[in-house]
Structures are given as structure tokens and as C-alpha cells.
Amino acid sequence: MELTFLGTSASTPTVFRSLPAIALRLDEGSTILFDCGEGTQRQMMRCGTSFMNVDKIFISHFHCDHHLGLSGLLQTMNINSRENQIDIYGPEGIEELVKNILKTGYFKLGFDLMVHTLKDCDRVSRGNYSVECRENNHCKNSLAFAIEEKPRRGKFYVEKAKNLGIPPGPLYRRLQEGETIVLNGKRIEPNMVLGPPRKGRKVCYSGDTAYCENVIELARESDVLIHDSTFSDDMKEEAGKFGHSTATDAAKVAKAAKAKKLFLFHISPRYNHAKVLENEAKKIFENSTVAEDFMKYRIRYKD
Amino acid sequence: MELTFLGTSASTPTVFRSLPAIALRLDEGSTILFDCGEGTQRQMMRCGTSFMNVDKIFISHFHCDHHLGLSGLLQTMNINSRENQIDIYGPEGIEELVKNILKTGYFKLGFDLMVHTLKDCDRVSRGNYSVECRENNHCKNSLAFAIEEKPRRGKFYVEKAKNLGIPPGPLYRRLQEGETIVLNGKRIEPNMVLGPPRKGRKVCYSGDTAYCENVIELARESDVLIHDSTFSDDMKEEAGKFGHSTATDAAKVAKAAKAKKLFLFHISPRYNHAKVLENEAKKIFENSTVAEDFMKYRIRYKD
């Protein structure tokens, strides 16, 4: 799994930050987009992230900066002869948004586009992963998302296998794949050489939100939490007024959720040097980083 | 007058080219935009062209690549507390486009937005200039535009003034401004020291078009012609099929119109090295240049 930050600004772009969009490349090869601000297709081109591999797009809410890139992206997929279906997910209103986009775009798609309306606690289960959503604390019809891989097989204990007299080779693989084998007339079950199933990797994206208990629940023990961090502490009041978080809020959520890594995201254009936000967050949650456009982050298995 | 090419690609952006948008800064300080592809607002930020100075936007037609940046630009003007009216001009259908944009944008503007539908041969006269439009040869409801300054005062002949015994100083200025003066009881009319009115500067933008007589008429003796040059000669058939021009077509139009300078614009993403287009055009019209993103061109008075 690899994250690419395609746009990290808030409300308006800046010279260095494009509007919100995050690509998550899955091991199976497809890419999920979280939000799709204006300019997303070009940001993908600029950092070599294939837009043709995108097969699911999750839109957190309907403020302009989070979805204006959809129309151009769909159009460019079309020009490039896309045939595979694309699925767009979002809170109530997503159908109307997509309808308007197709109307304003003056084009006909040559591939299927499915729109899915999500509400609090909905879970989308696909292939090897699921995406859960929770209402956050920003505006009406605004969601946070968490994608989590299904549990994977437990660890293979070579010593246990050796003690059972299993020779290294194809039998190891069969046991790892969950098959019971018979060796010298003895049945060997996978659980005799495997540890318990291990949790899959988990990434949570808060969307735009003020500090929110739902996001803490959703982000529980995630490998990565990408959280609204529009302002620094000196703009605490402004943040609350507009349903946004400070870097401190984001760090508190990461700490309470026991996340492993926090990316501060949705940075107000007022911060030319966003390290001030990172420094604030680090006081509460050490593993904090300000997301920058084109930053990539590989999410590895921890065990 | 200064042109800035904000986006020079065709259909889809590339790493080096954003989607069609041209800013024309007028001497009076305001800026006119011709087309407004996705990403235009950020391109303006990246090259230091103020988006708040834009007060008129001309949309050539309704293919996606020419207008998807409108919504974000209007929204960003709004966030930046714009109060001045903005005028948007385009062919039949422009009202519906703007209506959809405002609906999809989920925002309310804090400034007036006037939409003007133009048809073949319409002329918009504003301040010191007028913009004329002609149907071009691309699709239904597609226009080319020419902006032309009103004629300016004739040349001031210092020798004639001296011969009439006028002392250098404020009297010169009054005559230049068209005032009749009385010197030693003698009436001196401005035309006694001034040449005939001189033509204002003229810039023509073809929009997307195949070779088109209307564009030649519109571009007649323009200082700058910005012309569709999507393809090179080896794609001549493709160009015709989709209502686009080759670099050779563009050069022929520039030559027939007796334009002074040609910018090749709307470059297909297939051309990594667009000099091939420039070389083709130069064979017919020497003063040809491929427009690149962020290129600026100052249009000076020729006399």
C-alpha cells in the first residue's frame, strides 16, 4: 500500500499546494482516491501516478475544494479510452453532484460510472479490503473514511514446522495457504505451524473536521491517520468556527486513537512554512508529519 | 498590454502544459481571460498574475478543457472577498454553463456575476477597447475573439509645434489631449501639430478551429494572433476530423490576415517537443512561436 499526497491545501490552492486529493495504491494494483480537488488529474501526471488505475473515488463532502477535479479526471479517462467501471462514493448528495458534473462537462462517458451514497457507519467491502465511514464534525453531509485490509494469515513458525518433521518446500506453502496436509500418515493442521491471523493495514482520512470522537473511533489503531490540520493553535477560534482542526486537535485524535502515524493535511494557505503545525502536533503525538504535495508514504506490515 | 499563457495544452493537461487559458493584462490594470481550463487559478498564482484583477472572462466553447477552471476561480475570488462585478461572455449556452457551475460549486457569490451571450459578429465595447467575435469552424456554438483598442491620438510633431512658436511645456500636453489653444491671439488646432489617429493594438484568439475564413477576417492586421495548432501536418486528417488546425493552417491564417505575430496554441499532448510545429509554421509565417505555459508577451505600440 502506498499513499501519494496529490493536493494538501485548504480552500484555495497555493503555488506549492494543490487542492485536496490523496491516492492510495493497493497491493492488487488499483488506486483509490480520497477527494479530488481541482487539478488532481494533472497532479497525478506530475508525480507518475496512473489515473487509469483509479477505480474508486471517495468524496468526503461537497465544498468546492474537494471535488472540482472530478469532471476533468473523468473526461481524461474517457479520452484515454477507459472501459473499466468506476465507482464514486460520498455522503447524501453525491448523486446530484455527479449528475451536475456530467451535465456541465458536455461529454458522454464510454465506461460505467456507479454512484454510491454512504451514511454514518456504512461499510463498503471489496476484494481484500473494506472502507468504513463515519460522520465527522464539519458540515451537513460530511464523512471520514477508514480503509482496512482483511486480516491476513498468521505468522509461519519455521521452528514448529521443523519440529513436526516437515521438510522445507511446497508443504510450507500449502500450510501457509490454510491447507491441511498429511505427512507420513499424520494430519498436520495449519494452526499447528501458524500464529493467529494478523490485522491488515489500516488508513484513516478524517476529511474536513473539527475535533471529533467519531474520527477517533474510526481511526482506532490505524497505521496512518490523515487529519484536517487547517490551522495552528493561534487560530483555534477560527478553526472551531469553520469546522476545522488545529494541528493540536489532529495530534490529540491520533493519540487517542492510538494511530501509528499522523499526516497533517488540509493546510491553510496562510502557512508558508507549515513546520509550525508539525512542531505543535509533535508535542502531543511524536510521529506527526505535515503532508506536502507529491509526498509518498509506503505502508508496510508491522509484523 | 501583456499576454500571459496560463495553459497551452489540448483536451488533457500534461506535465508541462495546463489546459487552455490566456490572460491579457490591459494598460488600465484589469485583466481579461480567454478560456479558463481546469487549474487556471493555480497557474495564475504560479506566475504572479493576479486573479482578483480579472473582470471579464470570454469562453470560446463548451468542451470541457476550456472552462472547468471557472468554478474554482470564482470560488477563490469569493474567498478573497471580491466585491467587483465579473462579466462572463460566451456563445449560446453560456448561461446554462454558469448556472450549472454555481449549482455544482455549492457556494454563494458575494459579488455580481453578469453572463452575456454572444453570437457571430457581436461586438462588446468597454472603456478603451472592444471585443468582436466570429463563429469559427469547430463545433456548434464556438467563437473566436478579437480585442482591439480604440484608436489613439496621432503622433505629436515637435517641429511643427516649434514652427508655430509654441513653447515646450503644458501647451504641448493640452494640444496632445485634443484641446485647441490660443497663443498670442492665434488659434492653434490640435490637427496642426498632430498626425492622424493611430490604430490601437489588436489581439485575436481563434479558439478551437479548423482553418476558417471568419478567423482571417477577424484577425485582420492584428498585432498578435493566437491560433489553434493542435497537430502537425502528418495529422492533417485528424485535425480536420475534429475541427482543429495544423501548425500550417495556423500560419496560413496569420499570413492571410497580415497579422504581425503568431502564437501556436492548443498543442496536442502527443507533442513532447512542440518545436516541430513551430518549424512547420515558420515556413509560411516567419514570426511564429509555440506558446508555452507561463510565457509572457508584451504588446508594444508599433508607431
Side-chain angles (χ1 to χ4, degrees), chain A residues 16-193:
Chain A
F16 297 107
R17 295 184 190 276
S18 189
L19 290 162
I22 304 157
L24 178 64
R25 184 159 171 91
L26 304 176
D27 286 355
E28 67 191 54
S30 71
T31 297
I32 293 180
L33 267 188
F34 292 102
D35 284 332
C36 186
E38 181 184 356
T40 297
Q41 59 166 329
R42 190 165 184 229
Q43 292 291 96
M44 297 186 90
M45 292 168 185
R46 291 179 72 193
C47 67
T49 299
S50 164
F51 53 83
M52 293 300 267
N53 280 342
V54 172
D55 65 358
K56 289 175 187 56
I57 303 176
F58 290 81
I59 300 296
S60 63
H61 65 297
F62 303 119
H63 289 155
C64 245
D65 49 331
H66 291 256
H67 62 78
L68 283 182
L70 261 179
S71 187
L73 179 61
L74 292 174
Q75 162 87 334
T76 294
M77 287 172 169
N78 210 34
I79 289 172
N80 283 271
S81 309
R82 183 189 180 99
E83 291 180 354
N84 297 339
Q85 177 176 311
I86 195 156
D87 292 88
I88 300 181
Y89 303 81
E92 199 182 318
I94 188 72
E95 290 209 20
E96 199 191 340
L97 173 76
V98 174
K99 211 172 82 184
N100 278 337
I101 281 171
L102 295 178
K103 203 170 156 190
T104 314
Y106 302 83
F107 56 89
K108 273 189 187 161
L109 293 182
F111 53 89
D112 289 334
L113 188 160
M114 297 288 287
V115 184
H116 311 264
T117 303
L118 299 176
K119 56 182 194 309
D120 194 31
C121 297
D122 272 354
R123 182 189 292 269
V124 175
S125 191
R126 295 285 181 273
N128 189 40
Y129 64 89
S130 64
V131 181
E132 194 186 347
C133 65
R134 294 302 309 270
E135 271 175 11
N136 57 19
N137 185 5
H138 181 57
C139 66
K140 201 183 162 200
N141 299 330
S142 181
L143 296 173
F145 302 107
I147 174 169
E148 185 168 5
E149 291 174 312
K150 292 186 177 156
R152 62 197 172 99
R153 282 190 295 271
K155 201 170 168 183
F156 183 81
Y157 293 106
V158 176
E159 282 308 310
K160 284 188 182 180
K162 277 186 183 165
N163 292 341
L164 288 164
I166 310 167
L171 294 178
Y172 276 25
R173 187 180 47 74
R174 285 167 60 192
L175 284 161
Q176 279 176 315
E177 285 174 356
E179 200 181 318
T180 298
I181 62 165
V182 179
L183 185 67
N184 304 325
K186 205 168 78 180
R187 278 175 66 88
I188 301 173
E189 308 274 351
N191 63 12
M192 293 163 76
V193 292

Side-chain angles (χ1 to χ4, degrees), chain A residues 13-15 38-39 41-42 45, chain B residues 13-15 38-39 41-42 45:
Chain A
T14 71
V15 172
E38 181 184 356
Q41 59 166 329
R42 190 165 184 229
M45 292 168 185
Chain B
T14 71
V15 171
E38 182 184 355
Q41 58 165 328
R42 190 163 183 229
M45 292 169 185

